[in-house]
Amino acid sequence: MRTIGNAQLYDLNSRFHETVMACSNNTFFIDSLRRVDRLRRLIEYRRSLQRDRAALRCAEHVRIADLLLAGERAEASAYLREHLSSVSQEKTRRRAGTAV
C-alpha cells in the first residue's frame, strides 16, 4: 500500500465496493456507484492518499468480506454503513483543512 500509485490504490478500493454492490443484482445501485466513482476519481487522483488510513480501510474491507462470506448480511450491512460513514467524515474533515 505504501508503494503503489494513487490511481491503483483508488481502483482497488472502488473495485471492492463495486463487487459488493454487484452481489445485490440491483442495476440501479450498481450503475449509481459506478457514476459516483467516476466523479470521485477525478478528485482522488489529484490528492495525496493517506497510506496509514489505507491499511485501516483494507482491514475493514476484509472484515466486510468475511461477514458476507459467513452469511452475516445484516452485520455486514451495518459494518459497511459504519465504514462508509467514517470515510465520509474523514474526507469532509480533510477537505475542510482539519487534521484527522
Side-chain angles (χ1 to χ4, degrees):
M1 278 183 277
R2 298 205 183 277
T3 59
I4 64 174
N6 286 353
Q8 188 177 3
L9 186 57
Y10 178 85
D11 287 339
L12 289 170
N13 180 58
S14 63
R15 270 192 273 147
F16 173 78
H17 287 266
E18 283 189 27
T19 300
V20 170
M21 186 63 72
C23 293
S24 73
N25 290 320
N26 184 319
T27 55
F28 175 77
F29 288 149
I30 296 165
D31 186 51
S32 296
L33 178 62
R34 287 181 181 148
R35 288 174 189 265
V36 167
D37 278 347
R38 280 194 298 266
L39 292 172
R40 282 186 48 234
R41 187 174 288 119
L42 295 171
I43 297 167
E44 296 294 333
Y45 278 6
R46 300 179 121 181
R47 299 184 79 103
S48 175
L49 299 176
Q50 295 178 323
R51 301 306 166 129
D52 59 330
R53 294 291 183 186
L56 172 64
R57 300 304 172 209
C58 182
E60 291 173 348
H61 287 173
V62 170
R63 173 82 174 128
I64 292 163
D66 286 345
L67 289 168
L68 289 170
L69 291 171
E72 302 291 337
R73 293 184 350 199
E75 190 174 342
S77 174
Y79 194 81
L80 180 58
R81 188 175 299 111
E82 181 181 317
H83 165 74
L84 293 172
S85 177
S86 67
V87 170
S88 175
Q89 290 173 7
E90 176 183 307
K91 288 183 182 292
T92 302
R93 284 192 299 266
R94 271 189 25 212
R95 285 189 184 107
T98 59
V100 179

